Amino acid sequence: MTGTTDKSADEPQAGAQGTKRGSKAGSAIPTPSPGSHVNPWIPHDDRLFDRDSIIVMLVGCLLFVIGLGIKLSVPKFPELASIVDACVPPARGLCEKTVRAFDRQSHSASEANWAIFLAETLQALGLTMLAAVFISSTVDRRTRGYFFDELARKTEALGSNVLLGMFETRHHPRLFSLVKEHIFEKKIIRRNIDINYTLTDLDVDLSNTRLAAEKYLAVDVIISTVSENINVAQTGTKGIVELRIRLGLPNPILPELKPFVKVNSFRIGDVTLSADRIAEINEDLQKQLVDDGLVDAPVNIGSVPMMPGEQVTVSGSYTMVKELQDTEVFRSNEIAENIHLTVVSKSQDDLVIQARSLAHGKLYGQVSPTAQQWKLDDLSLPLQGIMVWWKKSPKALSPLQSAPGEPRKSVTPQENDGTGDEPPPVQDVSNA
């Protein structure tokens, strides 16, 4: 969840690079074959030994040591040299005793030494387990990796053919992987997102600086989200998903404005972040903002584990710095069921504020004397959301300006009429 702004990004040209001149209409286009970019459906395990392998190795070592200990604890047979010495005259009586002792210590009544049998069995079992883990971690791992890679390539080709057969469209094979990764594999969904932007004049004296002729706004944001773990796995810990709370705050171009970008507070479930934790987050944020090439500064708020079906409410507040005429884009990394946006202007300047949907759903607006609200009551995919922009209202009423109290219709890309009142281009930046 974040706000971003960009005033220099170029709008992509629709319809560029169409059919080449001289090409035959309706000619067959070869289906692209899956290449090395294909993501495996079953991810590789790069660990040399996994948890189960380590357990088997430890059990094998333990069995081997137990067997060795039993073997060493069994009374040893008399040495053959002692038997020969005992049987050489004149020690005939001693010879008989030594031979009988050898027979009693080496055999039981059934002519089998069960202690030695158990020791040898444990040692063999332990060595077999160690050998099995070694083979599984080397030869078998390479074989399984090759199999999964081939399976992924075959699956991508199959997915492309399915799309071609069902929808009569020839998409790139990678589309199947992208849809799977960014939509179907998502384990978390935002049931609700509420955002409140309050625009106020930046309360700082700029009279003796190079920014004396400029005017800036502090955008105080209050956000509340309800996230749910939609993982259906119910066995053990497989269904637990880690909810990571992150922001991407726009990085001001001018160094004088960077210190005013900050995180004010956050609450994850029933836990409110301490003042020390907020100070630590802001300290890391300021380090990120030093890099002028960074468009959005990543902010890691924290994380919380979620059981299957569990819902967690996250609320927080942060401050951004914007210009008097600027753009704000809010997007979520997760699928959202609805997004509600409220903008309140407390600036001394009369600001005209507009918004539009960056998703497929329609944006509904409502104007009140003190605020403007927009609702996107439809599913928005990852990295979709709402864009809002504002500008200083001209002193005289413009023909393009709406009547007081009458909300303007949100402009969609298909409805741009070239009057100059279209929203600025949207920057394609990945945000949390």
Side-chain angles (χ1 to χ4, degrees):
M1 302 169 292
T2 185
T4 61
T5 180
D6 180 38
K7 305 178 185 63
S8 59
D10 295 328
E11 190 77 24
Q13 299 295 322
Q17 298 298 330
T19 305
K20 291 185 178 180
R21 185 174 301 173
S23 62
K24 296 180 180 180
S27 59
I29 302 175
T31 302
S33 58
S36 58
H37 62 271
V38 175
N39 295 325
W41 285 78
I42 303 177
H44 292 172
D45 188 358
D46 297 328
R47 296 173 297 177
L48 181 60
F49 300 112
D50 57 12
R51 180 174 176 269
D52 294 336
S53 298
I54 295 176
I55 292 177
V56 173
M57 291 175 60
L58 293 176
V59 173
C61 292
L62 180 62
L63 293 178
F64 181 81
V65 171
I66 292 175
L68 182 62
I70 294 175
K71 188 174 182 180
L72 294 176
S73 64
V74 174
K76 295 182 173 57
F77 307 142
E79 296 292 340
L80 183 61
S82 64
I83 297 178
V84 174
D85 292 340
C87 294
V88 174
R92 297 292 182 178
L94 182 59
C95 175
E96 180 182 0
K97 292 180 180 180
T98 304
V99 172
R100 288 184 180 278
F102 177 81
D103 179 70
R104 299 298 183 271
Q105 293 182 18
S106 59
H107 297 86
S108 65
S110 60
E111 298 186 357
N113 193 318
W114 294 108
I116 298 298
F117 172 78
L118 178 61
E120 296 288 351
T121 302
L122 292 178
Q123 285 184 293
L125 182 59
L127 291 176
T128 302
M129 295 175 70
L130 293 176
V133 172
F134 175 77
I135 295 174
S136 174
S137 300
T138 54
V139 180
D140 185 59
R141 180 182 296 272
R142 288 195 295 268
T143 304
R144 282 187 285 118
Y146 174 78
F147 171 76
F148 290 149
D149 289 340
E150 287 299 315
L151 179 62
R153 292 188 179 91
K154 298 296 183 183
T155 305
E156 294 299 330
L158 177 62
S160 179
N161 293 332
V162 168
L163 293 176
L164 177 62
M166 292 182 61
F167 305 107
E168 298 181 351
T169 54
R170 186 177 285 109
H171 290 288
H172 194 281
R174 180 157 169 74
L175 176 64
F176 206 54
S177 287
L178 291 175
V179 173
K180 164 182 164 290
E181 178 183 357
H182 296 288
I183 296 180
F184 293 118
E185 286 188 345
K186 288 289 187 179
K187 301 296 191 298
I188 295 176
I189 188 172
R190 312 280 191 208
R191 295 298 183 188
N192 185 60
I193 299 179
D194 284 312
I195 324 132
N196 188 301
Y197 291 156
T198 301
L199 311 180
T200 58
D201 297 327
L202 188 62
D203 187 15
V204 59
D205 186 11
L206 303 175
S207 57
N208 295 325
T209 67
R210 60 174 179 167
L211 307 180
E214 304 294 335
K215 193 169 186 180
Y216 298 92
L217 299 177
V219 182
D220 294 313
V221 184
I222 298 177
I223 183 171
S224 176
T225 66
V226 178
S227 303
E228 181 177 345
N229 179 3
I230 58 175
N231 195 353
V232 297
Q234 298 286 350
T235 57
T237 59
K238 293 183 179 179
I240 299 178
V241 177
E242 195 77 11
L243 174 63
R244 295 180 175 87
I245 298 93
R246 294 173 296 181
L247 297 171
L249 299 185
N251 187 4
I253 299 177
L254 300 174
E256 294 88 345
L257 303 177
K258 297 179 186 290
F260 300 101
V261 180
K262 60 181 179 178
V263 175
N264 301 316
S265 63
F266 254 91
R267 183 183 181 88
I268 305 174
D270 297 329
V271 179
T272 301
L273 269 62
S274 64
D276 293 339
R277 174 57 183 158
I278 296 297
E280 181 182 345
I281 292 174
N282 285 321
E283 182 180 357
D284 182 69
L285 172 61
Q286 291 301 319
K287 292 180 181 179
Q288 300 281 348
L289 295 176
V290 173
D291 184 4
D292 293 331
L294 194 64
V295 178
D296 294 313
V299 182
N300 183 20
I301 302 297
S303 62
V304 59
M306 299 177 63
M307 297 296 294
E310 181 182 2
Q311 291 188 352
V312 174
T313 300
V314 178
S315 58
S317 170
Y318 54 92
T319 301
M320 304 179 294
V321 177
K322 297 283 185 175
E323 297 184 9
L324 188 60
Q325 299 186 153
D326 215 325
T327 305
E328 164 66 10
V329 177
F330 179 90
R331 295 184 291 182
S332 171
N333 262 346
E334 308 294 344
I335 300 173
E337 289 190 346
N338 58 73
I339 303 177
H340 295 175
L341 171 65
T342 301
V343 180
V344 178
S345 176
K346 295 184 178 180
S347 174
Q348 294 180 355
D349 295 284
D350 186 14
L351 298 180
V352 177
I353 305 173
Q354 296 295 331
R356 80 169 182 185
S357 169
L358 298 181
H360 298 285
K362 185 178 180 181
L363 190 66
Y364 296 92
Q366 182 177 358
V367 177
S368 70
T370 57
Q372 290 181 266
Q373 294 181 334
W374 290 272
K375 294 182 179 181
L376 181 59
D377 290 327
D378 200 351
L379 284 178
S380 58
L381 300 179
L383 299 184
Q384 292 183 343
I386 299 177
M387 179 175 68
V388 58
W389 66 99
W390 56 85
K391 61 186 299 183
K392 186 177 179 180
S393 175
K395 295 181 179 179
L397 189 63
S398 161
L400 299 177
Q401 196 172 5
S402 303
E406 179 181 343
R408 287 189 53 193
K409 181 180 178 182
S410 178
V411 181
T412 62
Q414 292 79 11
E415 295 172 338
N416 290 345
D417 54 7
T419 60
D421 200 26
E422 294 87 356
V426 183
Q427 180 190 12
D428 186 12
V429 179
S430 175
N431 302 306

